[in-house]
Amino acid sequence: MTARVFVCLLTADADGLTAADLVHRLQVSPASVSKSIGYLEGMELVVRQQDSGGRRERYAIDDDVWLRAWQADTGAHGEIATAAQRGIEIFGADTTAGARLGKMGRFFARLSEQMSGSTLTEAVVHDMLTVLAALVHAGRPLTLDALATALDWPRERATAALDVIQHQPAIADPLAVRATGPETYALTTRPDRLSPAQRAALEE
C-alpha cells in the first residue's frame, strides 16, 4: 500500500494530491492512505503543504526526495534508475511525471555508477562497450544467442554485459539497450535525452 501511494504521488502533477485524491485514485480506505503517508513522511519521502485555499493539506514529492532516499540507504540504486527509464517510456519525457522520473533516473544512475564503479573491472567495461558497438553495427534487434554467436562469446558473457548496461544505465549514456522481445535487444537513445518534439523533428 505504501508503495502504491508513493507511486501515485510520484506520477501526480507538480502540486501533489490530497488524501481524498489518493483514496479516490487507489480505491482504498482513508485509514490506509493515512498510515502510508505517515510512513512516507517518517522516511522524508513526501512533503506536506497547504492547498491554494488553505483548507486541505496536499502531499507531494519535492526535488530533494532522491537525496533523502539515498541517505535512507534504500539500496538498489541501479534498479531504481532502470525503473525510472521504463517509467519515462510509459508517461513520456515531456510530462510532469516523465520529467520527474528523468531527474530521478539520472540521479540514481550516477550514484549507482559512482558507488559500484570500483567493482567494475576493465574487462567488464570492455565487454559492455563491445555489446553496444555490436548493436550499433547490426542496426537491428539481436537475440542473445545471435549476439553471443557474432561476438564468439559464451552466452553467459553476453548476458553479463547486458546486465551491466541495463542496471547501470549511466555508463551507456546517451545510449540505452531496450528489450524488444524474449531475449532480444535493440539499441536506442535514452528516453530523457530528447524531447518528443526533438525526436519528431529529427525523424522528418
Side-chain angles (χ1 to χ4, degrees):
M1 179 56 64
T2 301
R4 292 176 65 198
V5 169
F6 183 69
V7 170
C8 200
L9 291 171
L10 180 66
T11 56
D13 290 336
D15 57 352
L17 299 170
T18 65
D21 292 332
L22 289 165
V23 167
H24 176 73
R25 290 192 180 196
L26 298 174
Q27 294 295 295
V28 296
S29 69
S32 297
V33 168
S34 178
K35 183 176 180 180
S36 296
I37 287 293
Y39 182 81
L40 292 170
E41 284 186 312
M43 295 181 67
E44 297 186 1
L45 294 179
V46 300
V47 294
R48 187 188 300 244
Q49 55 197 26
Q50 294 292 323
D51 66 6
S52 56
R55 293 184 300 173
R56 293 186 299 177
E57 291 181 324
R58 305 186 74 86
Y59 304 98
I61 295 174
D62 64 13
D63 291 339
D64 294 327
V65 66
W66 316 125
L67 177 60
R68 293 196 298 274
W70 173 72
Q71 291 171 335
D73 192 24
T74 59
H77 300 124
E79 286 81 357
I80 295 174
T82 300
Q85 296 306 314
R86 292 174 182 159
I88 294 169
E89 294 175 1
I90 294 171
F91 290 101
D94 60 337
T95 63
T96 299
R100 191 176 291 143
L101 286 165
K103 182 179 291 186
M104 167 185 168
R106 287 190 295 274
F107 176 85
F108 279 103
R110 286 194 299 268
L111 189 62
S112 176
E113 181 182 3
Q114 291 168 2
M115 294 186 70
S116 59
S118 60
T119 65
L120 293 180
T121 65
E122 184 177 347
V124 170
V125 174
H126 178 272
D127 282 0
M128 181 212 71
L129 295 175
T130 300
V131 165
L132 291 176
L135 290 171
V136 168
H137 185 78
R140 68 183 190 282
L142 295 176
T143 64
L144 179 60
D145 288 335
L147 179 64
T149 299
L151 297 176
D152 195 22
W153 287 359
R155 178 185 170 94
E156 293 75 16
R157 183 176 175 182
T159 300
L162 285 165
D163 284 345
V164 171
I165 297 170
Q166 293 180 316
H167 289 95
Q168 299 191 42
I171 299 176
D173 188 17
L175 302 176
V177 171
R178 177 171 55 91
T180 60
E183 295 192 337
T184 304
Y185 304 91
L187 197 66
T188 185
T189 55
R190 280 177 54 133
D192 58 332
R193 281 297 168 202
L194 297 171
S195 70
Q198 289 171 329
R199 291 176 186 274
L202 290 166
E203 292 167 1
E204 290 180 356

